[in-house]
């Protein structure tokens, strides 16, 4: 009897071992130990990194990626980067400063998003009659920044625009932006306005930057209170309509992600315009070690991560993922943009922001100059 009991136990033990092996093989990346990589990123990319599908792709390559968020200016100037494997700001100038300060040898630019203007059809029609909005000839409409700045110089109010019965508000014609002192999207808007105010040329000297900062400061100071994050004014746009926010400067990705999701938040009367010129917000990853380098490589090369980034509205290094979503959803987004300029380098851009910050602190609002 004891002999048969021993045989039975041996068979049970063998079956348990086989079952464990099978389960272990099925578990794959879920059961093996993952290497932790920590990074600091711009907040607009947090939903992408939190997506379980993104986490699964990294896990397949043996990585567990954890991220903290901060503004691009903060990442470049004040965040302690020693505890991270990579930094991933939303700004190429900020990334270049980080690369230089940390002695990094290379960067990755896996995706980007052009700056755009979320508005409404009645507003676009009013501005078209005023000669500020026009058709690009490439399937999308643009807001001419030079003509827009001319309206700002004159202190034009909405109710003074010819034939404006759709939005006769008694406030100035101004784009809503975030706070220039904290937000990268506002800094990108400053880059656009500064380029035009500098005679359609990139600002390359401190003297140019100081002069231009004084000229364009009212674009920011005359708005009154501004939010610190791009999500806040865009949420006002989605929820409150044109009464509160007739025009807001955003990343194209914010608008595109809702179109791709088909979640109904982009209503039939909403429109997307592109500044002419515009700039690309280039999401640029700076790795500090081998693990950070692997994260950057995967973001740039892995097709599934590219597909998922496109779902969040980002234009990827290879255009196919974004273009496929545009085709399948019928989203009214251009395949490419022509009138795109480069922002100033980090020092010039930071100098302009510092000058405008000084005007905030002093309470002085300079008169805009033609």
């Amino acid at each position: 009897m004891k002999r048969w009991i021993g045989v039975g136990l041996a068979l049970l033990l063998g079956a348990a071992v086989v079952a464990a092996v099978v389960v272990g093989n099925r578990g794959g990346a879920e059961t093996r130990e993952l290497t932790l990589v920590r990074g600091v990123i711009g907040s607009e990319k947090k939903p992408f990194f939190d997506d379980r599908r993104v986490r699964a792709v990294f896990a397949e390559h043996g990585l567990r990626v954890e991220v903290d968020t901060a503004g691009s200016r903060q990442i470049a100037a004040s965040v302690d980067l020693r505890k991270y494997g990579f930094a991933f700001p939303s700004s190429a100038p900020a990334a270049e400063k980080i690369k230089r300060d940390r002695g990094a040898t290379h960067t990755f630019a896996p995706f980007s998003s052009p700056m755009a203007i979320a508005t409404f059809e009645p507003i676009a029609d009013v501005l078209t009659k005023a000669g500020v909005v026009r058709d690009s000839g490439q399937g999308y409409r643009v807001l001419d920044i030079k003509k827009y700045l001319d309206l700002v110089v004159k202190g034009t109010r909405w109710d003074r625009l010819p034939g404006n019965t759709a939005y006769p508000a008694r406030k100035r014609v101004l784009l809503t932006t975030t706070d220039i002192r904290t937000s990268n999207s506002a800094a990108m808007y400053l880059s656009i306005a500064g380029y035009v105010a500098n005679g359609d040329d990139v600002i390359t000297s401190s003297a140019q930057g100081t002069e231009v900062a004084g000229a364009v400061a009212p674009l920011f100071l005359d708005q009154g209170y501004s939010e610190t994050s791009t999500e806040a004014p865009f949420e006002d746009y989605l929820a409150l309509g044109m009464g509160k926010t007739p025009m807001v400067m955003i990343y194209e990705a914010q608008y595109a992600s809702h179109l791709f999701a088909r979640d109904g938040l982009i209503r039939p009367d909403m429109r997307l315009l592109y500044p002419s010129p515009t700039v690309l917000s280039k999401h640029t990853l700076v790795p500090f070690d081998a693990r950070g380098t692997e994260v950057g490589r995967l973001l740039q090369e892995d097709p599934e991560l590219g597909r998922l980034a496109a779902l969040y509205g980002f234009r990827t290094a290879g255009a196919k993922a974004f273009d496929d979503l545009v085709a399948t959803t019928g989203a009214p987004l251009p395949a490419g943009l022509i009138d795109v300029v480069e922002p100033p380098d980090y020092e010039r851009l930071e100098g302009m922001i510092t000058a405008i910050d000084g005007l905030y602190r002093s309470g002085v609002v300079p008169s805009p100059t033609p």
Side-chain angles (χ1 to χ4, degrees):
M1 179 64 70
K2 290 181 180 180
R3 177 170 169 271
W4 287 110
I5 292 175
V7 171
L9 289 173
L11 290 172
L12 288 172
L13 179 60
V17 170
V18 170
V21 170
V22 171
V23 171
N25 287 338
R26 287 179 178 172
E30 294 180 4
T31 59
R32 66 173 164 168
E33 186 174 349
L34 302 177
T35 300
L36 173 63
V37 191
R38 298 192 65 219
V40 57
I41 67 171
S43 60
E44 67 289 326
K45 292 185 286 292
K46 186 69 159 53
F48 168 78
F49 278 93
D50 285 345
D51 191 305
R52 59 178 180 79
R53 296 166 295 180
V54 172
R55 290 180 175 273
V57 174
F58 282 127
E60 288 173 5
H61 293 272
L63 300 177
R64 178 163 62 91
V65 180
E66 294 184 356
V67 294
D68 296 325
T69 61
S72 293
R73 289 184 69 215
Q74 291 176 299
I75 297 173
S78 60
V79 171
D80 182 2
L81 298 176
R82 293 172 295 180
K83 59 184 178 180
Y84 297 108
F86 67 90
F88 199 3
S90 308
S91 161
E96 187 58 34
K97 180 180 187 297
I98 295 166
K99 177 186 175 186
R100 187 172 66 241
D101 289 351
R102 290 297 304 269
T105 58
H106 57 282
T107 60
F108 298 91
F111 36 79
S112 64
S113 184
M115 302 310 299
I117 300 162
T119 187
F120 300 86
E121 184 62 32
I123 298 296
D125 286 345
V126 167
L127 292 176
T128 298
K129 292 175 183 175
V132 178
V133 169
R134 57 181 169 78
D135 193 294
S136 69
Q138 303 294 322
Y140 59 94
R141 285 186 286 182
V142 301
L143 183 141
D144 188 308
I145 292 296
K146 187 177 188 308
K147 292 181 178 180
Y148 162 70
L149 291 179
D150 289 342
L151 291 182
V152 176
V153 166
K154 297 171 185 175
T156 307
R157 298 179 184 273
W158 285 103
D159 62 350
R160 298 291 181 175
L161 290 175
N164 178 13
T165 58
Y167 188 69
R170 291 181 295 172
K171 59 182 180 181
R172 296 185 187 184
V173 178
L174 281 172
L175 275 163
T176 297
T177 72
T178 44
D179 193 323
I180 186 61
R181 297 165 292 182
T182 60
S183 172
N184 181 65
S185 64
M188 293 297 97
Y189 176 43
L190 174 61
S191 298
I192 295 168
Y195 180 93
V196 174
N198 194 45
D200 289 337
D201 208 355
V202 176
I203 293 164
T204 57
S205 71
S206 298
Q208 288 177 336
T210 300
E211 181 179 355
V212 168
V216 303
L219 299 176
F220 303 96
L221 276 63
D222 286 350
Q223 292 183 55
Y225 173 75
S226 297
E227 300 281 0
T228 59
S229 166
T230 312
E231 285 302 317
F234 186 57
E235 287 172 0
D236 283 349
Y237 166 81
L238 293 175
L240 303 178
M242 68 180 183
K244 171 71 167 57
T245 313
M247 299 188 296
V248 58
M249 180 66 68
I250 63 169
Y251 299 111
E252 178 198 57
Q254 292 175 277
Y255 196 97
S257 63
H258 290 295
L259 289 175
F260 294 157
R262 298 177 178 177
D263 56 16
L265 291 177
I266 303 298
R267 300 190 298 276
D269 66 330
M270 291 177 169
R271 296 292 182 270
L272 194 66
L273 307 176
Y274 292 87
S276 179
T278 190
V279 298
L280 290 178
S281 178
K282 296 178 183 176
H283 298 264
T284 306
L285 187 147
V286 186
F288 306 138
D289 56 27
R291 291 171 297 175
T293 298
E294 180 65 1
V295 171
R297 185 191 70 79
L298 288 171
L299 286 171
Q300 189 154 291
E301 298 178 5
D302 186 275
E304 179 63 9
L305 287 177
R307 186 187 73 81
L308 293 169
L311 282 172
Y312 283 93
F314 297 112
R315 292 179 181 255
T316 52
K320 187 176 186 305
F322 186 90
D323 291 347
D324 284 350
L325 281 170
V326 169
T328 57
T329 62
L333 300 170
L337 298 168
I338 295 174
D339 194 5
V340 179
V341 299
E342 291 295 327
D345 65 25
Y346 179 83
E347 282 73 21
R348 302 291 86 76
L349 187 56
E350 188 68 15
M352 293 169 67
I353 294 171
T354 300
I356 295 173
D357 182 28
L359 295 172
Y360 269 108
R361 294 175 184 276
S362 68
V364 174
V365 180
S367 299
T369 55

